[in-house]
């Protein structure tokens, strides 16, 4: 793995060791040096590739990661690498591509379960497609096995009365993260979007909230990127109750700042951690669970609040394209697929056809 440090001169340096050799790249900013590091890794992967006949699964995956890294968001790259290192490499990493038989690959997939099996299959399939393009494979080994059968479990949500009770609690609670839960339920924001939300993104006079970034903790570092999709950059109207939540939140943040004293790290975040730093996923999860319990609502994950927001809007008759824009989905078809159970139970379709046929 590479290391990055700031030199006394002010320049950033990234160091990488490969086969006993040390490589360094420099940049004026950490972002610049990370871009140069990604390019260096890509070149090294190409230059050091072994003869085609002896290429292993790990060597192909590493070349693929190095090539695709600059196209992916940091969290995507980190998650893919983690998955390969913890699931694929221990079992198949040293296997030469020429010896990767369908039986061996099938037994590997069968040893996994649930979402891990599904994600591993999709990762290796994509990697092998590139391997064919590069001439390492004649056909995709994943096309010769039975794909893992996985269906995401349905998300169970409380009824509308329970969600209304949860929202009322958020409006009145002094919990510093009640506003996070309430605003997530009201606007359907992703966790990365709401934890990276700053006061500069909000106009309390007009009730408009601009989603312009997403943030995640990656290997102990807070990393901010563009929203998940191009449509993710959007403006949302939070309404009177949203303004009420945010005004209350501003007062609660001021209290947190006083309590933290000199330890406070100012980032301008709407929902900061105890010392002003961005919230971790575990702290968000704990806050959602705590507030659900306090309001008498069954425990929910943060992403369930997003699903609840979209479901309530669709069941209330809000047009699908408007809900899709609010959620920041890349296209309406995603919204239709995920929330098909909310769009219609078929009754309105049948009744409309009956009216036409009956004249």
């Amino acid at each position: 793995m590479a290391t990055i440090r700031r030199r006394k001169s002010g320049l950033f340096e990234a160091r990488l060791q490969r086969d006993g050799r040390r490589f360094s790249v420099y940049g004026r900013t950490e972002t610049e040096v990370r871009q140069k590091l990604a390019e260096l890794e890509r070149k090294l992967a190409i230059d050091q590739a072994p003869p085609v006949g002896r290429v292993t699964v790990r060597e192909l995956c590493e070349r693929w990661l190095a090539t695709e890294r600059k196209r992916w968001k940091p969290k995507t790259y980190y998650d893919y690498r983690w998955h390969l290192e913890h699931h694929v490499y221990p079992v198949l990493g040293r296997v030469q591509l020429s010896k990767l038989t369908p039986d061996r690959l099938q037994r590997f997939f069968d040893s996994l379960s649930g979402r891990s099996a599904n994600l591993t299959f999709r990762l290796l399939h994509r990697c092998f497609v590139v391997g064919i393009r590069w001439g390492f494979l004649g056909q995709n080994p994943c096309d010769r096995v039975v794909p893992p059968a996985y269906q995401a479990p349905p998300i169970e949500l409380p009824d509308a009365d329970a969600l209304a009770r949860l929202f009322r609690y958020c409006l009145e609670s002094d919990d510093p993260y009640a506003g996070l839960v309430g605003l997530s339920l009201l606007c359907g924001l992703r966790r990365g979007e709401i934890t990276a939300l700053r006061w500069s993104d909000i106009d309390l006079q007009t009730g408009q909230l601009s989603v312009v970034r997403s943030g995640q903790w990656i290997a102990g570092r807070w990393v901010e990127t563009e929203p998940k999709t191009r449509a993710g950059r959007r403006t949302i109207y939070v309404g009177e109750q949203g303004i009420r939540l945010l005004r209350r939140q501003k007062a609660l943040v001021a209290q947190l700042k006083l309590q933290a004293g000199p330890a406070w790290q100012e980032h301008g975040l709407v929902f900061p951690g105890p010392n002003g730093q961005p919230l971790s996923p575990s702290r968000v999860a704990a806050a959602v669970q705590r507030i659900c319990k306090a309001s008498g609502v069954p425990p929910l994950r943060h992403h369930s609040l997003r699903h609840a927001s979209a479901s309530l809007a669709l069941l209330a008759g809000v047009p699908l394209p408007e809900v899709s824009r609010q959620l920041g989905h890349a296209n309406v078809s995603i919204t239709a697929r995920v929330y098909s159970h909310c769009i219609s139970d078929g009754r309105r379709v049948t009744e409309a056809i009956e009216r036409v046929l009956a004249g």
Side-chain angles (χ1 to χ4, degrees):
M1 296 293 288
T3 59
I4 296 177
R5 68 188 184 102
R6 190 167 191 172
R7 299 171 62 90
K8 291 181 179 179
S9 63
L11 289 176
F12 285 86
E13 177 188 11
R15 289 183 177 180
L16 178 68
Q17 282 195 325
R18 285 285 173 85
D19 300 327
R21 298 173 61 195
R22 178 182 292 175
F23 301 87
S24 292
V25 291
Y26 303 88
R28 294 182 181 277
T29 65
E30 186 175 350
T31 300
E32 181 184 353
V33 84
R34 285 186 179 278
Q35 291 172 346
K36 290 183 177 180
L37 176 63
E39 182 63 21
L40 173 63
E41 288 180 326
R42 187 186 70 81
K43 288 181 179 178
L44 289 175
I46 294 173
D47 295 343
Q48 298 175 2
V52 172
R54 297 204 303 270
V55 173
T56 65
V57 171
R58 181 174 189 142
E59 288 164 344
L60 176 60
C61 288
E62 286 297 314
R63 287 196 65 194
W64 176 60
L65 287 173
T67 301
E68 297 291 343
R69 182 175 186 173
K70 60 184 178 183
R71 297 185 180 93
W72 294 334
K73 292 187 176 180
K75 186 68 163 60
T76 301
Y77 172 80
Y78 178 82
D79 287 346
Y80 285 3
R81 172 168 285 286
W82 187 95
H83 198 84
L84 289 170
E85 289 180 348
H86 287 77
H87 292 289
V88 177
Y89 293 169
V91 181
L92 299 178
R94 296 183 179 181
V95 178
Q96 293 181 3
L97 295 174
S98 58
K99 297 179 180 179
L100 186 61
T101 63
D103 176 65
R104 189 170 198 169
L105 194 57
Q106 186 71 66
R107 283 187 282 113
F108 168 65
F109 287 133
D110 290 345
S111 70
L112 303 174
S113 61
R115 186 173 179 272
S116 291
N118 182 261
L119 178 57
T120 303
F121 178 84
R122 289 190 289 112
L123 280 179
L124 285 179
H125 192 281
R126 288 176 62 183
C127 179
F128 292 156
V129 166
V130 177
I132 294 172
R133 193 176 303 148
W134 287 341
F136 293 125
L137 290 163
Q139 58 182 322
N140 195 320
C142 287
D143 289 338
R144 302 173 66 192
V145 302
V146 179
Y150 172 73
Q151 186 172 3
I155 297 176
E156 296 184 3
L157 298 174
D159 59 29
D161 289 341
L163 292 172
R165 186 166 66 251
L166 173 62
F167 188 70
R168 286 195 299 271
Y169 178 85
C170 292
L171 287 171
E172 304 297 336
S173 174
D174 288 331
D175 189 302
Y177 305 120
L180 182 148
V181 174
L183 200 65
S184 298
L185 181 57
L186 186 64
C187 301
L189 295 171
R190 298 179 177 94
R191 185 183 64 198
E193 294 170 345
I194 199 163
T195 52
L197 190 65
R198 292 191 173 92
W199 290 110
S200 57
D201 304 325
I202 296 169
D203 187 335
L204 290 174
Q205 299 301 316
T206 62
Q208 289 186 318
L209 178 157
S210 297
V211 180
V212 296
R213 74 186 71 80
S214 181
Q216 296 97 14
W217 284 98
I218 302 175
R221 290 179 59 252
W222 175 253
V223 178
E224 292 184 352
T225 62
E226 290 285 312
K228 187 175 181 180
T229 65
R230 185 176 298 178
R233 181 179 278 269
R234 61 203 188 277
T235 299
I236 295 173
Y237 176 65
V238 301
E240 292 182 6
Q241 299 301 332
I243 293 173
R244 181 179 167 186
L245 278 171
L246 288 166
R247 290 191 188 281
R248 189 177 185 84
Q249 179 63 20
K250 201 155 197 174
L252 290 171
V253 170
Q255 291 178 15
L256 283 177
K257 192 172 181 178
L258 284 174
Q259 292 168 5
W264 183 262
Q265 303 170 28
E266 185 57 64
H267 295 283
L269 296 170
V270 178
F271 300 105
N275 293 328
Q277 74 278 21
L279 287 170
S280 66
S282 60
R283 193 176 286 274
V284 172
V288 175
Q289 297 277 321
R290 181 177 66 250
I291 291 164
C292 284
K293 183 177 181 180
S295 62
V297 172
L300 296 171
R301 296 183 303 118
H302 181 269
H303 200 67
S304 298
L305 299 173
R306 177 173 164 85
H307 279 285
S309 180
S311 299
L312 289 172
L314 289 167
L315 291 171
V318 178
L320 185 64
E322 292 184 29
V323 176
S324 184
R325 282 195 296 271
Q326 175 98 338
L327 295 175
H329 280 164
N331 52 65
V332 177
S333 62
I334 295 174
T335 317
R337 184 178 71 249
V338 176
Y339 300 102
S340 59
H341 61 288
C342 299
I343 298 171
S344 173
D345 60 2
R347 185 179 305 172
R348 285 188 296 175
V349 176
T350 302
E351 290 175 351
I353 295 172
E354 278 184 338
R355 286 195 296 271
V356 173
L357 294 177

